[in-house]
Amino acid sequence: MARILSGKELAAKMRQEMQTELTELKSKHNLVPSLSVILVGDDPGSISYVKGKEKACAYVGINVQKYKFDADYPQADLLKLITDLNNNPDVNGILVQLPLPDHINEEKVLYAIDPEKDVDGFHPINVGRLMIGAPGYIPGTPHGIQQLLLRNDIDISGKHVVIVGRSNIVGKPLALLLVQKKPGANATITMCHTGTRNISDFTKLADILVVATGRPHTVNAEMVKEGVVVIDVGVNRIEDSTKKSGYRLIGDVEFEEVSAKASAISPVPGGVGPMTITMLLHNVIQAAKKQKGISKI
Ligand code: NAP
């Protein structure tokens, strides 16, 4: 059976390390990092994600200011708030929870955030920095996947990493991150999507297979080789009457059968999810240190 790559355990360990670092930063530099979180509307998923981020920030010692608005909040007011937060030296990081309501242009909002406070790493300046391998803010999910591999002693260099899914928040930045000629990267990358013909021709070649489609059952045992390392990014709700909530979460990979062939696999839940939030915390701490002149990125 495959080794379980527990993001839950690793995230707990990394958050403890961050807590220690922040205690030291406070006593030595009187620095308490601060994150402004903006939530527009009542999407239950977004509310729960923001809660998770607030809880994680509180645990490590990051101050959070939450701005919660009704779904009809005007775009102009949102842009004005972002400008104010950009200009406020007490704010180190700004996060706008996605998705935004339809009347708001998501791109316009994300591009309005000062790249030095863009702790989600979605601003084109940070995307560009990632592309050329320059220091910048890396989006939490790809960064979390890289850490989950490395801190489980899974070497990435020279490996064939096949990524299924090409979104701007998972697949594409992960490809950019792992292809760099750098320690902890240096992989050969193949990227698959809905336009890929005979997808299993590619998934079978993977040393490390990352699946981020948001479609349950995307990958089964026949599609992977013996000994593959599998990272399942997908989070899908399926009905389950045995659960109090009426649903349970599953990934994009057939966990049981793929586990029998894989050498290591990340579970859902408890895999990539906790790592994503942890790397957001990392970015907020980096932003605070950089803005205070304690470190470059
Ligand atoms: P997305 O924007 O919908 O992108 C999905 C990608 O998968 C697209 O590139 C799509 O191809 C591709 N795809 C869909 N079905 C496919 C199939 N059958 N075969 C091959 N490719 C297929 O989704 P996302 O935001 O990247 O998220 C993906 C999943 O990861 C979701 O379940 C999401 O909830 C989860 N997620 C989890 C975390 C976490 O922290 N755990 C973070 C982010 C996302 P096309 O481009 O051709 O349409």
Side-chain angles (χ1 to χ4, degrees), residues 49 141 164-167 169-171 192-195 199 212-215 218 233-236 252 272-273 276:
Y49 284 132
T141 304
V164 187
R166 59 176 160 188
S167 73
I169 62 165
V170 186
C192 302
H193 42 75
T194 58
I199 210 163
T213 61
R215 308 276 184 280
T218 301
V233 187
V235 180
N236 306 292
D252 294 342
V272 174
T276 296

Side-chain angles (χ1 to χ4, degrees), residues 28 40 44 47 97 126 139 164 176 178 197 202 231 256 265 274:
K28 272 196 192 157
V40 186
I47 291 171
Q97 184 63 44
N126 284 313
V164 187
L176 292 176
L178 299 188
R197 289 185 202 155
F202 300 96
I231 302 290
E256 296 299 331
I265 187 166

Side-chain angles (χ1 to χ4, degrees), residues 240-265:
D240 185 342
S241 55
T242 67
K243 301 280 176 195
K244 210 170 135 194
S245 59
Y247 70 86
R248 70 189 157 95
L249 298 179
I250 61 165
D252 294 342
V253 174
E254 295 285 8
F255 184 83
E256 296 299 331
E257 60 179 68
V258 172
S259 295
K261 266 177 117 175
S263 58
I265 187 166

Side-chain angles (χ1 to χ4, degrees), residues 173-288:
L174 182 66
L176 292 176
L177 183 63
L178 299 188
V179 81
Q180 300 296 327
K181 194 168 183 175
K182 284 185 177 183
N186 203 29
T188 302
I189 309 287
T190 297
M191 206 171 216
C192 302
H193 42 75
T194 58
T196 305
R197 289 185 202 155
N198 303 324
I199 210 163
S200 60
D201 288 354
F202 300 96
T203 55
K204 273 182 193 159
L205 296 175
D207 300 314
I208 298 172
L209 177 63
V210 182
V211 190
T213 61
R215 308 276 184 280
H217 324 298
T218 301
V219 167
N220 61 35
E222 281 181 14
M223 297 170 71
V224 301
K225 74 177 179 189
E226 204 70 49
V228 63
V229 172
V230 178
I231 302 290
D232 191 351
V233 187
V235 180
N236 306 292
R237 270 187 185 199
I238 59 157
E239 276 184 31
D240 185 342
S241 55
T242 67
K243 301 280 176 195
K244 210 170 135 194
S245 59
Y247 70 86
R248 70 189 157 95
L249 298 179
I250 61 165
D252 294 342
V253 174
E254 295 285 8
F255 184 83
E256 296 299 331
E257 60 179 68
V258 172
S259 295
K261 266 177 117 175
S263 58
I265 187 166
S266 71
V268 179
V272 174
M275 293 304 297
T276 296
I277 299 188
T278 303
M279 300 323 291
L280 166 71
L281 305 176
H282 168 84
N283 281 350
V284 178
I285 297 169
Q286 294 309 307

Side-chain angles (χ1 to χ4, degrees), residues 39-62:
L39 176 61
V40 186
D42 297 312
D43 178 65
S46 295
I47 291 171
S48 134
Y49 284 132
V50 166
K51 254 190 205 148
K53 288 168 189 175
E54 281 183 293
K55 200 172 151 200
C57 283
Y59 176 79
V60 299
I62 293 171

